[in-house]
Amino acid sequence: MRALAAAALALPGLSPARAQAAEDDEWSFQYGRYREGERDLFGVHSDFDPIEVDNLDFVGRLTLFDRVKVALRWVQDTWSGATPISTAPQVLEGNRPTNPDGVSGATPFLQGDVFLSSDFDPLEVDEFGSVLGTNPQLVHTLSSASPETRNQLDLDLGYEWDAAELRVGGGFSLEPDYESRFVRLGGDFDLDQKRTTLRFELQFGESDTTALLDHDAVPYIDTSFYAGRIESFPSTGRRRLEDDRQDWGAQLGVTRILSRDSWIETRIGYTRSTGYLANPYKVVQVGFIDPGQQFLAPPGGYYAQVRALLEQRPDERNQWTWDTRYAHYLERLDAALHVSYRFFHDDWGIDAHTLEASWGQPLGFGVTVTPRVRYYTQGAADFYEPWLLSQQAYQTIVTDPDTGDIVSITPFDRRLLPSEFSSDHRLSAFGALSGGVSLSMQLARGVRLDGGFEYYTHRGSLRLGGGGEGDFADFDSYLVSANLTLDAAALHAIASGVPDAHDGHVEHAGHAPAGVLLGHMLPAAGDWMVGLRTQWSRQDGDVLHGSRSASDADILARGCGGEPCTNAPDRMDMLMTMLDLMAAPTDWLNLMLMPSFVNMEMALRPLDGAAPDVHGSHDHSTGGVGDLSMFALFRLFDAPGHRVHAGAGLGVPTGAVDRKHRRTHQESRGYTHYGMQLGSGTWDFLPSLTYTGRSGAFSWGGQASGVVRLEHENDSGYALGDLFQATAWGGFALTRWLSASARALYTLQGSIRGEYDRPHDVSTPMDLPQNSGGQFWDLGFGLAAGVPSGFLAGNRLSVEWLQPLQDDVDGYQLERTGALFAGWSVEF
Amino acid sequence: MPATERSLASLLLLALLLCGCAAVAPWERGRLAEPQMALDPDAKQRALREHTHMSREAAAGSAVGAGGGCGCY
Amino acid sequence: MQHTRRAFSAMGSPCEVQLFACDPFAATHAADAARTEVARLEARYSRYREDSLLSRINRVAAVGGSIRLDPETASLLDYAAACHRESGGLFDITSGILRRAWRFRGGGVPDAAEVQALLCRVGWQRLDWSKPRLAFPLPGMELDFGGVVKEYAVDRVVLRCRALGVRHGLVNLGGDVGIIGPRPDGAAWRIGIRHPRRPSELIQTLGLHDGALASSGDYERCIVVDGVRHGHILDPTTGWPVRHLASVSVVADLCVVAGSASTIAMLKAEAGPAWLAESGLPHHWVGVHGEVGGSLARQRGASSRAARIGSTPRGSSASTGVSTPAST
């Protein structure tokens, strides 16, 4: 039979499927959360939270004109928590509790004195100066950072021929301290009747680091090596490191179908990086053994003064990788076994191996479960050192014996230190084992849900061949993710049958402007709608009291209740991203689920005449998962040209209300401003009543909606005020597919009830519950575009700008500048 | 007899036709086209896993592929 | 997504193409391309057309000459050679000449001498095939691609539609079915296998996401004489129709492979079922006495196995019926 099959393949035009099935057109949304466990600080309790990352990933892929492929991708990472800044002997007590309650403070202790034995092991010494014994234990010194958000946008274009594909793309990534731009070029070539595929990828990236050094630690860090690249700001005491790097990468691969049940792929890659390759937030602690100060040392031992230096890495890195992947199909189980191995080598002295295996097992009914396991091991970089010792003084100070004035300060000789050093545990020797499972559920209508979980442990002891870093560097982490994928082609098999497409006109009536929630009900039972909406709001300008601007003196005196304020809010931005999932189980009922994700940023300015703010920090940001809303919509009235529906919703308090300011010095600043929390913290009832009408090219509507808090306080001791909104709009269809709208909005917001139940800093009006709420009038202008027919039918894009007309605030609040709403949805 | 058998077969046929989502046996599909045999069965989840691994391991996937950006936490 | 169905007549059988495509123009374009491809192959290899390439080859064969073949015909010949080897000499594209003894549009059983005379001019080994030149040392032979071209056309059409971007659809040329892609919601196409003795009934229904299904049977163009059915598949070593299996259906990635496998199984008669089992391809066979077997056969109880065949033969053209709902 094989001979027949082989002979058949020789017939012109008949060739087997490519190993790489073409990616289907799709829209895909993914949320992931990564969280690390606590680092072992050997008895010290740290109030820092471990690293936590929320990741949002949206991708849209389309095929145009049969052969042109377009892919657009947006990724957002929001991360917060503590990371190690350095490693030091435990005896140095870098994570020393400073408050009586034994909580590890914000400033890592990077300086100090250490006694060493004759073998240079750290000694434990009691308060009387008696040596208790050696303690070689090392420990990470932790430092926290405020939440940061990274956004990345990628655009890729591809062109497909019968036996080849060419791709070009690029993108950029933005973070407060790091900006990256990259381009890439790639292609596939099919040979041997598509049994073999050759692939190449080329990539170039350029990145800029603009890092504000950890302002609590920076007074204690020696940055002299980077003198030319650091800019100092004496007024705020901040230092900023600016530098850049370039990365070139190339990859060549071959994929081959081995049999009807298996394929194999092998790739080699080379990457070259130049420029600033270090991490501006990592330091190496160096014990300086000053020959002139050894009289302080214990007998036979040494006395060292520990100082911290910003790490130094080579300014060039060449990396080689070799990957091999193999997949085998097992017929009896309908399962696929994937095995892969990667070898990594670079000129920093690191060799690493990765072995991964997964088993894809369909269970029937469209469900597939895939357990996987991974083992990783790496060696240490040549210049990796947990900490260093140097036989020289940190600095030699010469004083005038007569006057006592300092004559000269000679710093240490840099040439006596290694030219490169880093304590970053990523460059140490260790092994990591991880295991996880993914679940994939294919629903009808081209909708697929995926979920995944992975648990990861990083252990020095797991390193292949031993010699891994000590257990102080061990940590565990988990990653959990959920993904919704819509197969664009399958969706539109049904979308082209969507009613409401009168004469090919897009039905704009029944759709409200972008800023109105729940303005539209699905036309028929069995319909679905998936959408993505973002809202960006800004407050900027004057602080208002009632509807008038308040002067700084006024704010100072009365803005913070009985205590004088130190700062006033200067600017506040909020970006909220919402995923709308709507389904119509019957003709008269729609159900909707709306998870949200929030990022907030606030900048403060000092008030004229206020006492100087000891805390020194004027920027705050928070970010993470926001509240989840669930709605049921009921169709009350539906006649040609007029529709009325009512909604009853429930706000689920999934958004955090316990976000705190970053700790500075030895004080905890407690909860952040009320307006910077991510959710309401209470279960809320969300009623609404909506009317929409249409006549010819004109459409109009109105909505009354509210939020009623069902609890009188949340877990942090307060509850947001109730909300009432009334809005009315009119729209006009400019063309078959484009319409414009104008809207008026009135909002009545109640003040916050209760207050934080734990200590929190009151330095701006925003820290008081009475400075919230008020009445607000806005005018909105919007545009909406819908696709009436064709393979993109059912897609809709809308934007709206909400312009504040009048704010009448309770207490002292920052005035609003406006809000921009943008949304995309697809009905099917 | 033929009439009964015919209507039975027709009923069976109808039942089979309505059963659009019955689990299909392995031989009814092209094996290499099976989703679990794809070159990248769960691309986005894998991208996220590799992103987190990259932030904690030195052997980052070569810069090719995922694009720039640090996000190194 | 738009459903397009194009039914037409070609290669002596009812044919249809069903497609689902987002863009109506793409669907029409693909359906037209399908028809054009089938017409092209029919024009080249039909033995009923004087102006076809096959007729020209046979005119050369009649006088014992030689002819230089184009790449497509050459590969078809190579494929036929592979089938000849795989079947142990039973699949033979030179056996068409035996048909002259059997006049299926009427008449009775031929006499043995007539068949013997024709047998002298049958045999793949009697050809001189050295690509690209085909020579006929013995005059009076005749080639017939009928056992290959229809299935080859199915595969060509499937690939052509895929190349035009169609991802969902099927092609059915007189019962030889090729799947372009599953239905838009991911479900399989339901394909029925015709009962060899009861033409309006299906003996089995399969769900296919991908691949092809082809059948051979003794009920097409057959005559029944004295209660004995004589099909049109003739054993090239004896000259007589094979008589153990009533129908064979095979599923494979390519229709040509499925078609050749089903024909070879029919030719192997008693050894057919075992050969099919060994081939590893999913298959279904029905014996002339009503027994059913093969990896696809569903055991529906004693009644199906004990079923006796009805006696009235009905000559008809389609060996399998594609039973799918007409709309989304």
Side-chain angles (χ1 to χ4, degrees):
Chain A
M1 193 47 57
R2 275 188 221 286
L4 257 188
L9 292 175
L11 289 166
L14 308 191
S15 33
R18 269 173 94 176
Q20 164 122 25
E23 274 161 347
D24 277 338
D25 292 354
E26 62 182 24
W27 314 106
S28 174
F29 317 91
Q30 177 169 279
Y31 167 73
R33 163 166 283 210
Y34 170 81
R35 213 187 134 91
E36 285 186 3
E38 290 184 355
R39 306 285 170 132
D40 192 351
L41 301 179
F42 301 100
V44 175
H45 169 71
S46 172
D47 203 40
F48 293 143
D49 289 326
I51 288 280
E52 193 177 276
V53 184
D54 283 312
N55 175 284
L56 298 180
D57 190 341
F58 303 111
V59 151
R61 281 184 224 281
L62 278 181
T63 305
L64 307 171
F65 318 115
D66 268 358
R67 289 179 180 267
V68 176
K69 300 182 129 176
V70 183
L72 189 66
R73 182 167 181 237
W74 174 40
V75 179
Q76 185 182 81
D77 287 321
T78 303
W79 64 272
S80 63
T83 40
I85 183 174
S86 69
T87 305
Q90 187 190 12
V91 297
L92 193 66
E93 293 179 329
N95 297 306
R96 186 182 323 167
T98 56
N99 285 347
D101 55 288
V103 173
S104 176
T107 305
F109 278 82
L110 302 172
Q111 297 190 117
D113 298 335
V114 163
F115 298 102
L116 305 165
S117 72
S118 53
D119 294 322
F120 298 103
D121 286 327
L123 293 170
E124 220 167 312
V125 173
D126 70 8
E127 61 260 32
F128 301 112
S130 312
V131 172
L132 301 171
T134 57
N135 180 355
Q137 181 66 59
L138 294 175
V139 71
H140 280 313
T141 308
L142 293 183
S143 179
S144 180
S146 56
E148 287 202 354
T149 302
R150 176 182 84 97
N151 281 288
Q152 178 175 329
L153 209 59
D154 285 28
L155 178 68
D156 286 277
L157 298 168
Y159 192 88
E160 258 190 358
W161 287 272
D162 275 337
E165 185 180 314
L166 207 60
R167 292 177 296 272
V168 69
F172 58 87
S173 166
L174 299 173
E175 292 173 70
D177 60 358
Y178 194 88
E179 239 180 66
S180 179
R181 297 160 296 278
F182 46 89
V183 292
R184 50 180 169 244
L185 180 69
D188 292 343
F189 302 98
D190 295 323
L191 306 171
D192 190 16
Q193 291 148 355
K194 297 190 179 170
R195 274 202 218 103
T196 306
T197 306
L198 286 180
R199 173 177 303 159
F200 81 91
E201 302 271 348
L202 297 170
Q203 181 158 313
F204 174 70
E206 167 129 34
S207 318
D208 298 324
T209 299
T210 316
L212 277 175
L213 302 183
D214 182 345
H215 59 88
D216 294 320
V218 77
Y220 310 105
I221 299 177
D222 182 309
T223 60
S224 53
F225 179 76
Y226 291 96
R229 298 175 255 183
I230 289 189
E231 204 176 319
S232 290
F233 299 93
S235 55
T236 54
R238 298 253 191 175
R239 273 187 251 175
R240 189 172 70 199
L241 185 129
E242 280 181 42
D243 212 333
D244 53 44
R245 65 181 282 170
Q246 300 78 35
D247 298 275
W248 288 267
Q251 200 174 78
L252 211 60
V254 176
T255 314
R256 169 118 187 127
I257 299 179
L258 294 176
S259 70
R260 47 178 313 176
D261 291 328
S262 59
W263 54 258
I264 191 166
E265 182 193 49
T266 195
R267 286 180 296 178
I268 51 171
Y270 169 68
T271 307
R272 179 179 165 80
S273 310
T274 54
Y276 177 69
L277 306 179
N279 187 320
Y281 308 111
K282 302 264 186 229
V283 306
V284 175
Q285 290 179 260
V286 182
F288 288 92
I289 300 173
D290 184 351
Q293 298 249 300
Q294 291 313 301
F295 59 90
L296 296 167
Y302 300 90
Y303 162 74
Q305 284 186 309
V306 176
R307 295 287 179 270
L309 272 63
L310 274 186
E311 68 168 27
Q312 293 164 205
R313 300 191 194 183
D315 53 14
E316 192 182 303
R317 186 183 190 189
N318 293 289
Q319 308 166 53
W320 290 268
T321 54
W322 172 53
D323 288 83
T324 301
R325 285 199 282 174
Y326 173 76
H328 192 90
Y329 180 75
L330 292 104
E331 186 179 354
R332 291 189 134 257
L333 299 167
D334 191 23
L337 175 67
H338 288 252
V339 178
S340 72
Y341 168 73
R342 157 179 285 193
F343 173 68
F344 171 92
H345 173 82
D346 73 2
D347 59 0
W348 282 5
I350 302 176
D351 280 344
H353 307 270
T354 316
L355 194 61
E356 219 171 317
S358 71
W359 180 278
Q361 178 66 65
L363 300 175
F365 306 105
V367 177
T368 303
V369 69
T370 308
R372 72 187 80 246
V373 71
R374 175 182 186 267
Y375 172 66
Y376 174 82
T377 178
Q378 76 171 45
D382 293 331
F383 55 87
Y384 169 77
E385 292 291 345
W387 70 302
L388 287 172
L389 287 171
S390 188
Q391 302 248 30
Q392 60 173 324
Y394 176 64
Q395 58 190 24
T396 310
I397 301 175
V398 176
T399 49
D400 182 3
D402 301 318
T403 61
D405 290 337
I406 292 174
V407 172
S408 69
I409 301 178
T410 314
F412 61 93
D413 184 354
R414 191 165 291 282
R415 290 165 304 177
L416 294 179
L417 287 173
S419 53
E420 289 119 17
F421 46 84
S422 170
S423 68
D424 190 343
H425 61 95
R426 296 187 193 105
L427 302 177
S428 65
F430 65 88
L433 199 57
S434 60
V437 66
S438 303
L439 196 70
S440 175
M441 228 170 33
Q442 179 79 44
L443 308 176
R445 288 182 177 240
V447 177
R448 196 179 82 232
L449 282 172
D450 294 283
F453 175 79
E454 176 179 271
Y455 194 81
Y456 177 99
T457 84
H458 166 124
R459 296 260 180 280
S461 53
L462 280 174
R463 191 206 166 190
L464 193 66
E469 190 47 280
D471 57 2
F472 68 89
D474 293 345
F475 68 90
D476 289 351
S477 69
Y478 73 77
L479 175 68
V480 68
S481 66
N483 181 305
L484 174 71
T485 306
L486 309 174
D487 180 342
L491 285 192
H492 298 110
I494 297 92
S496 55
V498 168
D500 271 4
H502 300 268
D503 309 313
H505 279 258
V506 179
E507 184 75 0
H508 285 293
H511 283 276
V516 177
L517 195 58
L518 306 176
H520 166 72
M521 275 191 75
L522 294 170
D527 283 348
W528 291 77
M529 193 266 289
V530 174
L532 192 65
R533 244 163 349 108
T534 57
Q535 173 186 345
W536 175 78
S537 325
R538 165 162 282 192
Q539 288 169 273
D540 198 348
D542 294 332
V543 174
L544 302 176
H545 179 53
S547 45
R548 302 223 212 110
S549 298
S551 65
D552 273 16
D554 193 11
I555 303 168
L556 193 62
R558 294 200 294 267
C560 293
E563 308 168 30
C565 292
T566 353
N567 298 307
D570 192 27
R571 193 193 79 242
M572 168 133 164
D573 286 335
M574 178 190 78
L575 180 70
M576 183 149 75
T577 308
M578 295 154 274
L579 185 66
D580 297 333
L581 302 165
M582 197 149 124
T586 74
D587 279 342
W588 49 268
L589 174 69
N590 282 175
L591 297 174
M592 178 148 130
L593 197 66
M594 197 178 86
S596 67
F597 196 85
V598 185
N599 288 109
M600 294 205 255
E601 241 179 68
M602 161 173 266
L604 300 173
R605 64 175 175 82
L607 281 170
D608 283 341
D613 184 359
V614 298
H615 307 294
S617 165
H618 297 296
D619 290 333
H620 310 289
S621 60
T622 53
V625 173
D627 285 342
L628 173 73
S629 309
M630 308 193 296
F631 298 95
L633 298 178
F634 305 92
R635 200 187 303 277
L636 297 180
F637 182 78
D638 190 352
H642 304 278
R643 289 185 183 147
V644 180
H645 65 265
L650 191 65
V652 183
T654 52
V657 288
D658 59 359
R659 288 298 155 106
K660 301 189 179 68
H661 283 307
R662 187 170 168 246
R663 304 171 69 98
T664 62
H665 299 283
Q666 287 113 47
E667 291 172 46
S668 163
R669 296 187 61 192
Y671 288 124
T672 186
H673 319 291
Y674 289 100
M676 296 279 284
Q677 298 295 356
L678 304 177
S680 68
T682 51
W683 291 83
D684 306 321
F685 174 57
L686 313 163
S688 63
L689 185 65
T690 314
Y691 160 71
T692 57
R694 172 180 171 238
S695 173
F698 287 95
S699 59
W700 58 89
Q703 185 185 75
S705 63
V707 180
V708 179
R709 314 288 169 190
L710 296 174
E711 301 175 84
H712 71 271
E713 74 173 32
N714 59 27
D715 289 339
S716 295
Y718 68 94
L720 297 176
D722 292 339
L723 175 81
F724 169 73
Q725 276 190 322
T727 182
W729 66 86
F732 180 73
L734 301 169
T735 73
R736 272 179 60 205
W737 52 273
L738 185 68
S739 76
S741 64
R743 178 160 82 100
L745 172 68
Y746 167 73
T747 308
L748 175 64
Q749 164 89 58
S751 303
I752 294 173
R753 292 166 285 199
E755 63 178 331
Y756 280 127
D757 56 6
R758 273 192 253 162
H760 81 286
D761 184 52
V762 178
S763 68
T764 87
M766 288 189 62
D767 294 317
L768 284 113
Q770 59 259 38
N771 291 327
S772 62
Q775 297 182 77
F776 307 90
W777 290 264
D778 296 83
L779 214 54
F781 303 97
L783 279 176
V787 183
S789 62
F791 77 105
L792 278 176
N795 275 272
R796 199 187 145 78
L797 277 174
S798 55
V799 292
E800 189 186 30
W801 172 259
L802 211 57
Q803 178 61 42
L805 286 177
Q806 167 89 313
D807 292 349
D808 184 2
V809 303
D810 294 342
Y812 293 82
Q813 295 179 45
L814 190 58
E815 70 176 325
R816 299 173 312 140
T817 316
L820 182 68
F821 294 86
W824 162 79
S825 68
V826 62
E827 265 186 45
F828 56 97
Chain B
M1 216 57 52
T4 321
E5 275 177 84
R6 196 172 301 169
S7 51
L8 270 174
S10 310
L11 265 175
L12 195 63
L13 175 65
L14 193 67
L16 289 170
L17 289 175
L18 291 174
C19 177
C21 58
V24 277
W27 43 259
E28 285 173 353
R29 310 187 197 193
R31 296 154 182 220
L32 295 176
E34 292 275 340
Q36 64 270 29
M37 277 299 283
L39 216 56
D40 219 347
D42 59 346
K44 289 190 63 166
Q45 286 193 30
R46 189 180 60 81
L48 180 60
R49 277 200 304 275
E50 287 190 356
H51 183 56
T52 61
H53 293 152
M54 255 175 67
S55 71
R56 289 286 174 262
E57 295 168 358
S62 40
V64 188
C70 184
C72 298
Y73 3 118
Chain C
M1 207 173 280
Q2 185 134 335
H3 178 244
T4 305
R5 183 170 180 271
R6 197 67 65 79
F8 54 98
S9 199
M11 300 189 174
S13 326
C15 304
E16 72 164 352
V17 175
Q18 287 195 47
L19 310 163
F20 283 92
C22 308
D23 179 3
F25 297 114
T28 316
H29 185 36
D32 288 339
R35 270 197 89 160
T36 309
E37 180 65 14
V38 174
R40 178 187 79 86
L41 287 169
E42 185 170 13
R44 293 195 99 208
Y45 301 113
S46 167
R47 61 186 163 89
Y48 299 109
R49 293 174 61 150
E50 290 267 321
D51 56 346
S52 72
L53 174 60
L54 181 67
S55 296
R56 188 152 72 87
I57 295 172
N58 285 335
R59 279 194 291 275
V60 168
V63 300
S66 77
I67 183 171
R68 192 190 166 84
L69 297 176
D70 62 283
E72 186 173 36
T73 316
S75 3
L76 282 169
L77 227 50
D78 282 338
Y79 183 71
C83 292
H84 185 261
R85 274 192 306 272
E86 282 302 302
S87 63
L90 289 171
F91 188 103
D92 196 323
I93 59 168
T94 64
S95 60
I97 202 172
L98 292 167
R99 226 177 291 109
R100 291 187 199 167
W102 293 86
R103 290 175 298 272
F104 286 107
R105 308 286 166 162
V109 179
D111 71 331
E114 212 182 323
V115 173
Q116 267 313 112
L118 288 168
L119 266 179
C120 297
R121 285 181 282 160
V122 168
W124 172 265
Q125 65 280 6
R126 295 199 169 103
L127 293 178
D128 180 10
W129 167 232
S130 50
K131 198 166 174 173
R133 194 131 214 112
L134 177 64
F136 298 91
L138 180 68
M141 293 183 76
E142 197 179 278
L143 290 188
D144 176 13
F145 282 122
V148 179
V149 168
K150 189 137 74 75
E151 292 87 347
Y152 173 61
V154 168
D155 289 324
R156 292 276 304 187
V157 167
V158 164
L159 281 136
R160 187 90 187 91
C161 287
R162 283 192 193 144
L164 287 171
V166 177
R167 300 252 189 76
H168 311 278
L170 64 73
V171 177
N172 180 5
L173 303 181
D176 293 324
V177 178
I179 307 288
I180 299 167
R183 311 185 108 246
D185 59 358
W189 292 94
R190 311 299 301 179
I191 317 260
I193 299 177
R194 238 203 57 188
H195 194 295
R197 296 292 178 260
R198 285 173 280 198
S200 58
E201 279 180 32
L202 298 178
I203 195 164
Q204 180 85 356
T205 315
L206 308 174
L208 282 188
H209 283 85
D210 196 7
L213 171 73
S215 306
S216 289
D218 64 356
Y219 42 86
E220 279 181 59
R221 297 183 288 262
C222 57
I223 76 169
V224 179
V225 179
D226 301 330
V228 177
R229 177 183 297 269
H230 300 273
H232 73 293
I233 298 178
L234 308 171
D235 184 328
T237 56
T238 66
W240 290 88
V242 287
R243 213 183 319 164
H244 182 75
L245 295 168
S247 91
V248 176
S249 302
V250 177
V251 172
D253 286 339
L254 288 171
C255 202
V256 280
V257 174
S260 319
S262 63
T263 307
I264 293 172
M266 289 282 298
L267 286 162
K268 287 198 175 250
E270 284 85 0
W275 182 84
L276 283 170
E278 214 181 272
S279 73
L281 292 172
H283 60 278
H284 180 282
W285 55 263
V286 183
V288 291
H289 300 297
E291 334 75 277
V292 172
S295 64
L296 297 177
R298 264 186 220 151
Q299 307 306 322
R300 271 195 282 154
S303 59
S304 61
R305 251 175 292 180
R308 297 276 138 191
I309 302 162
S311 55
T312 323
R314 267 175 250 178
S316 63
S317 40
S319 56
T320 63
V322 179
S323 307
T324 59
S327 63
T328 332

